[in-house]
Amino acid sequence: MPNREFNAWLSGFRDSIADYRYYIDFEKVHRNAGSIKVELNILNSLIGAKNIKEDFKTLIKKYPEVLKCIPLLLAVRAHELYCQDENGGYLYRFNFGKQRSNSSVDYERYGYFMEHTGLFDLLENHIINNLVDYVTGVETGLDSNGRKNRGGHLMEDLVERFIKKAGFVRDETYFKEMYIHQMTANWGIDLSAISNQGKMEKRFDFVIKTPGMIYGIETNFYGSGGSKLNETARSYKTLALETDTIDGFTFVWFTDGKGWTSARNNLEETFDVMEHLYNIKDLEDGILTKVLR
């Protein structure tokens, strides 16, 4: 590889790699809302009720299964919720899963819960008109929390597409999420230098096996800054130096994202000592076919 200039390389980093499915998984949203559609339509009978406390108690006595919907109306994914009493003392546990008790005390407490969380007001005063539509909105909001997980896989998916494009075949010449003990078992390579003599179990996002080399690959993308970037750069610098001592093994790191601007100094230190540190532009320019042999 010709000498590369860090600033020019960093200037090619991208703001985002989000695809169209990154923002909301509507298939999951509709699936979750649809799974309790019947129960939500039963609860719809409470909208605009004049005597909502008594109507609610009558409803859950006849249809106790509607209780499982209640946490989601508060945008909570749980079957058990806890609330302190008015004096901050006794902690009451509400079970919205399968009901085993038919005592009037339970129904009174659930009614109390509905009133004091504001759910009765939501239903009684026509603030909403349909709980199925409401829950679809809640599910959409909750799914936005899944963007972090989806974002974490975007760079992996992108790199994997380039690995396949370079001609490598999954589970034959490249492997996903492989531990170092698996590499040792498969190919007899001594990786004790990066496993603290077997005490640490490192996993690589991808491993590529060619006739002459094993490549351990890490991938990540940082759209925003933070202390984690400095830690990542330092740990990968250490890993690169450790793997330099291992015959038949090469560490490769693909990273990108404008978040690195705030941690450029630590990234540059790693760039200076790590031969195989690349960004998305490098992938597009065919780096895999140039260096992985």
Side-chain angles (χ1 to χ4, degrees):
M1 288 289 295
N3 289 332
R4 298 182 297 166
E5 201 276 316
F6 175 77
N7 290 324
W9 180 71
L10 184 66
S11 69
F13 277 32
R14 306 190 177 184
D15 293 306
S16 173
I17 53 171
D19 58 16
Y20 291 101
R21 296 301 298 271
Y22 164 73
Y23 296 98
I24 295 294
D25 183 351
F26 278 111
E27 183 179 335
K28 176 185 173 186
V29 167
H30 294 309
R31 183 172 64 249
N32 288 348
S35 69
I36 54 172
K37 186 175 182 178
V38 171
E39 292 83 359
L40 291 171
N41 277 315
I42 294 172
L43 283 173
N44 273 337
S45 64
L46 295 174
I47 294 176
K50 301 301 182 184
N51 190 8
I52 196 167
K53 293 181 184 179
E54 291 305 315
D55 289 350
F56 173 73
K57 285 189 283 184
T58 300
L59 187 72
I60 62 174
K61 286 178 182 178
K62 189 172 183 179
Y63 304 106
E65 64 271 18
V66 303
L67 285 172
K68 67 183 179 183
C69 304
I70 302 302
L72 195 55
L73 300 183
L74 299 170
V76 175
R77 293 198 194 281
H79 292 303
E80 291 185 348
L81 301 182
Y82 295 84
C83 292
Q84 290 184 343
D85 63 22
E86 296 84 347
N87 300 315
Y90 181 71
L91 187 66
Y92 194 87
R93 179 176 67 90
F94 292 90
N95 180 10
F96 292 98
K98 187 175 181 180
Q99 298 301 307
R100 294 186 175 87
S101 171
N102 292 318
S103 70
S104 60
V105 174
D106 282 337
Y107 296 123
E108 289 293 336
R109 292 301 305 184
Y110 287 121
Y112 188 88
F113 178 92
M114 295 288 289
E115 179 181 7
H116 286 265
T117 56
L119 288 175
F120 275 163
D121 182 56
L122 184 75
L123 296 166
E124 186 178 20
N125 294 312
H126 289 283
I127 296 173
I128 59 170
N129 296 314
N130 186 297
L131 282 172
V132 177
D133 293 342
Y134 171 83
V135 164
T136 299
V138 170
E139 283 285 355
T140 300
L142 289 174
D143 187 68
S144 67
N145 296 327
R147 288 177 194 158
K148 183 176 181 180
N149 290 332
R150 287 193 291 273
H153 292 291
L154 285 174
M155 188 66 173
E156 284 184 28
D157 293 343
L158 185 152
V159 171
E160 186 169 15
R161 288 197 295 272
F162 282 100
I163 290 174
K164 290 178 178 178
K165 186 178 179 181
F168 297 101
V169 179
R170 184 163 180 172
D171 296 330
E172 292 183 18
T173 52
Y174 89 89
F175 306 84
K176 193 168 183 179
E177 297 182 347
M178 194 175 215
Y179 288 92
I180 55 179
H181 81 269
Q182 294 173 300
M183 286 182 264
T184 299
N186 288 349
W187 304 303
I189 187 169
D190 181 6
L191 296 173
S192 57
I194 57 173
S195 67
N196 192 18
Q197 303 302 315
K199 298 176 183 176
M200 183 180 71
E201 183 63 304
K202 169 68 181 170
R203 186 189 74 180
F204 289 93
D205 292 333
F206 298 99
V207 171
I208 291 178
K209 177 69 172 70
T210 69
M213 186 63 63
I214 298 170
Y215 297 91
I217 298 172
E218 287 290 310
T219 69
N220 43 51
F221 183 94
Y222 295 105
S224 58
S227 58
K228 183 179 180 180
L229 281 77
N230 289 321
E231 179 186 338
T232 299
R234 284 193 294 265
S235 65
Y236 284 2
K237 176 184 176 181
T238 300
L239 184 58
L241 294 172
E242 290 173 343
T243 56
D244 280 347
T245 67
I246 303 173
D247 290 334
F249 183 86
T250 298
F251 175 45
V252 182
W253 180 19
F254 293 104
T255 193
D256 211 302
K258 290 294 187 181
W260 279 113
T261 304
S262 65
R264 58 181 298 135
N265 291 337
N266 280 299
L267 183 61
E268 186 172 9
E269 288 181 13
T270 306
F271 181 88
D272 288 341
V273 302
M274 186 173 177
E275 180 181 359
H276 297 289
L277 171 54
Y278 306 113
N279 61 13
I280 295 172
K281 179 70 165 54
D282 295 320
L283 283 167
E284 293 175 340
D285 290 342
I287 196 67
L288 285 172
T289 57
K290 294 175 184 176
V291 302
L292 272 60
R293 297 184 175 88

